[in-house]
Amino acid sequence: PMASHWYEWPFMQKAFWFFVDQTNNNLNTISLSGNPVVWGATTLFIILGIGFSIYCVLKRKRISEFTPLLLGSYLITFIPYVLIERPAFLYHYFPGLILAICFLSITFGTYLERKSKKEMVLLIIIAIMLIVAGFITQIKTTYGLPHIF
């Protein structure tokens, strides 16, 4: 029941449950699930990055030297699971996720360099607030805090 398919990982569709306890009207769980903001942003940026890279190659435009390295590394860690038929789990995606976070960070940083100091600070604050909000949504299931029906 904890197994998941490779195509579910980038969209964080299935958590890995370590512990579930239902006593009285309380539900306590401990699970492995990611920050939905980080996970969603990395998936979006990987899809856009691959599309933009293909566009640049076809139009013979220059792209950052990090783009092919990080996207290629991401695909190398992710694509083998497409061929595997045995049960796989969310944690198999972690090497690809780390590379996706690196790609997101470099791409976002490059975007921020083109902004004014005021806009840069505002965008960073918004990003941090979104990431913290995503973290807060996962606190109960990640750390086993009680859920009250």
Side-chain angles (χ1 to χ4, degrees), residues 10 16 19 25 36 42-43 46 49 55 65 74-76 81-82 85 87 91 93 107-108 111 129 134 144-145:
F16 188 94
F19 174 78
N25 283 337
T42 56
T43 300
I46 288 293
Y55 170 80
E65 62 272 4
Y74 172 84
L75 292 173
I76 286 170
Y81 291 103
V82 174
E85 294 180 18
Y91 54 78
Y93 182 63
T107 306
F108 187 62
Y111 174 75
M129 288 173 57
L145 299 176

Side-chain angles (χ1 to χ4, degrees), residues 16-67:
F16 188 94
W17 297 96
F18 292 112
F19 174 78
V20 177
D21 177 43
Q22 186 172 355
T23 344
N24 300 329
N25 283 337
N26 291 331
L27 174 66
N28 298 321
T29 62
I30 299 176
S31 71
L32 172 66
S33 60
N35 184 320
V37 174
V38 173
W39 221 284
T42 56
T43 300
L44 177 66
F45 270 70
I46 288 293
I47 292 168
L48 293 175
I50 291 171
F52 183 71
S53 297
I54 291 169
Y55 170 80
C56 287
V57 167
L58 293 175
K59 296 289 185 176
R60 299 188 191 277
K61 293 188 176 200
R62 187 180 175 282
I63 57 175
S64 164
E65 62 272 4
F66 293 108
T67 300

Side-chain angles (χ1 to χ4, degrees), residues 69-142:
L69 174 67
L70 288 173
L71 289 178
S73 300
Y74 172 84
L75 292 173
I76 286 170
T77 63
F78 185 63
I79 288 179
Y81 291 103
V82 174
L83 307 173
I84 294 175
E85 294 180 18
R86 69 171 177 78
F89 300 94
L90 183 63
Y91 54 78
H92 289 120
Y93 182 63
F94 285 178
L97 178 64
I98 291 168
L99 292 163
I101 291 170
C102 291
F103 179 70
L104 170 65
S105 302
I106 289 173
T107 306
F108 187 62
T110 303
Y111 174 75
L112 289 178
E113 289 174 353
R114 299 181 180 137
K115 298 293 180 185
S116 69
K117 187 79 165 174
K118 188 176 182 179
E119 290 173 318
M120 184 186 304
V121 169
L122 179 64
L123 289 170
I124 290 172
I125 289 171
I126 290 170
I128 290 171
M129 288 173 57
L130 286 171
I131 291 167
V132 169
F135 174 75
I136 289 170
T137 65
Q138 300 299 313
I139 284 179
K140 288 183 180 181
T141 58
T142 302

